[in-house]
Amino acid sequence: MKKVLITGGAGFIGSTVASALLDRGITPVVLDDLSKGRAEFVEDRIFYRGDVADAALLDRIFAEHPDIEAAVHCAAKIVVPESVAKPLYYYRENVAKTIDLLDSLQRLGCTRVVFSSSASIYAPTPDARVDESSPVDANSPYARTKQMMEQVLQDWTRGEGAERQRVITLRYFNPIGADPRLRTGLQDLNPSHALGKLIEAHSTGAPFTVTGVDWATRDGSGIRDYVHVQDLAEAHVAALLRFDEVVAPDAADRYRVINVGTGDGTTVRELVTAFEQAVGAELDVREAGPRPGDVIGCYAAVDTARELLGWQPRRGIAEGVADALAWRAKWAARLGV
């Protein structure tokens, strides 16, 4: 594989995927509108600034890079509380524009698509463990956009005129850390997810709030599967390199879902403890009710990724915390804050 289009390739996950591809000798072609992504993350990379729904721009990209062999679709709005407040915005950005993108990819003959989905679409299970066959029941507008797009993509591979279209959907769990070489990382110094809030609390002395303490877990806090973003990126590389094995061109079913997590559940309280051990200091920890759209959470069964992709996670929470802290220090110095 020579070149791969990455939408959202100037963001946290997309830029790490781009770096992982470069490390394997594959050239990423990045499309990003920079609404959240950073221009610094695409320095010395092939980059087009624009919207995934811009058909003319897609025509230009493929005309200038006819050797693109697949597309990785990472571009999306991802903040759960914002999606609750602005549902139409999320449906437009994540669903309607993706449909326009798929229309362009089909017209341009790009038959392999890797889609960034989310474990947030899973329905709660008694033991919080989920595999690809577990029921889905998205609980926020953000999560519902991912669930909707999964259905759109599956239907797309079966529709008239789409006989050659194939899709691998990767259901992400909870990415942490940064590119271990610190080429890119979280572009927001104060992100809304748990590890970001822990780093903010440690850096500023502000309290850290556990949102939701009455969930049916071993300590009452939500449970998550914290996967290092570099492991997640390497799962994308594996999906691209094994694409034709996972979804053959003549397969009866040309749509495949694969979980990408660690296979272990970590509660928010356990994450706090791990973070405190990593930094050698205690935080001011407080409790509050769940935020709008919050769910109990889940963790992944990763047998499918191991069997189909030959992939398994290699980095733990301690390494994720260390890389996240190192990145934040570097990024804050670069931004001068």
Side-chain angles (χ1 to χ4, degrees):
M1 191 164 288
K2 296 179 180 179
K3 288 182 182 176
V4 173
L5 174 69
I6 305 179
T7 70
F12 173 42
I13 295 172
S15 65
T16 313
V17 173
S19 295
L21 287 173
L22 285 166
D23 293 342
R24 295 295 295 268
I26 301 169
T27 301
V29 178
V30 175
L31 170 59
D32 198 299
D33 65 4
L34 298 186
S35 59
K36 290 293 184 180
R38 299 289 303 204
E40 296 93 330
F41 292 1
V42 290
E43 291 175 353
D44 302 320
R45 297 180 181 180
I46 299 171
F47 172 59
Y48 293 84
R49 182 172 184 174
D51 197 296
V52 298
D54 186 341
L57 178 56
L58 267 295
D59 287 348
R60 177 186 160 203
I61 291 171
F62 276 81
E64 295 177 359
H65 304 281
D67 48 350
I68 290 174
E69 298 181 58
V72 177
H73 183 33
C74 294
K77 306 303 178 185
I78 62 170
V79 180
V80 170
E82 182 184 50
S83 78
V84 175
K86 301 177 180 179
L88 294 182
Y89 174 62
Y90 269 65
Y91 289 123
R92 180 180 302 111
E93 293 293 316
N94 291 1
V95 180
K97 288 188 176 182
T98 297
I99 292 171
D100 288 337
L101 170 67
L102 298 179
D103 191 47
S104 291
L105 294 179
Q106 181 174 333
R107 177 171 48 78
L108 293 164
C110 183
T111 61
R112 302 179 185 92
V113 175
V114 175
F115 176 62
S116 302
S117 191
S118 169
S120 64
I121 73 172
Y122 282 115
T125 62
D127 62 357
R129 184 177 185 273
V130 293
D131 62 27
E132 291 84 357
S133 66
S134 297
V136 297
D137 184 19
N139 200 41
S140 70
Y142 158 71
R144 280 190 280 273
T145 66
K146 293 296 187 181
Q147 186 174 336
M148 285 181 183
M149 279 315 308
E150 286 203 21
Q151 188 61 66
V152 167
L153 286 160
Q154 186 173 32
D155 289 342
W156 182 51
T157 63
R158 298 171 177 172
E160 183 179 356
E163 293 86 357
R164 298 171 60 238
Q165 304 304 142
R166 292 172 286 152
V167 176
I168 296 176
T169 286
L170 300 181
R171 286 183 184 159
Y172 301 175
F173 281 68
N174 298 79
I176 60 172
D179 168 28
R181 292 168 57 183
L182 301 185
R183 289 168 288 188
T184 62
L186 275 168
Q187 61 269 50
D188 186 351
L189 287 174
N190 299 306
S192 61
H193 61 66
L195 180 56
K197 289 295 185 184
L198 284 169
I199 293 173
E200 180 182 0
H202 173 63
S203 302
T204 66
F208 173 79
T209 302
V210 179
T211 55
V213 294
D214 295 315
W215 300 110
T217 62
R218 50 185 169 265
D219 60 22
S221 64
I223 194 166
R224 303 290 186 267
D225 187 333
Y226 296 101
V227 59
H228 197 292
V229 69
Q230 181 66 20
D231 284 334
L232 180 60
E234 289 171 3
H236 288 73
V237 175
L240 289 163
L241 293 178
R242 293 198 178 193
F243 201 105
D244 291 348
E245 298 173 42
V246 176
V247 189
D250 58 352
D253 186 354
R254 298 186 303 279
Y255 178 80
R256 178 60 108 158
V257 173
I258 302 175
N259 282 345
V260 184
T262 67
D264 292 317
T266 301
T267 69
V268 176
R269 293 189 195 277
E270 290 167 347
L271 179 65
V272 172
T273 299
F275 183 86
E276 289 176 333
Q277 291 173 347
V279 300
E282 291 188 1
L283 303 179
D284 178 7
V285 180
R286 304 181 184 183
E287 299 179 353
R291 303 168 302 173
D294 276 351
V295 294
I296 184 174
C298 58
Y299 67 97
V302 293
D303 305 295
T304 301
R306 187 177 297 111
E307 292 168 7
L308 294 183
L309 304 182
W311 172 92
Q312 60 184 14
R314 299 190 293 119
R315 301 163 180 85
I317 288 179
E319 193 167 350
V321 169
D323 287 339
L325 288 168
W327 168 255
R328 190 186 193 282
K330 176 178 179 177
W331 190 233
R334 180 162 183 173
L335 296 179
V337 296

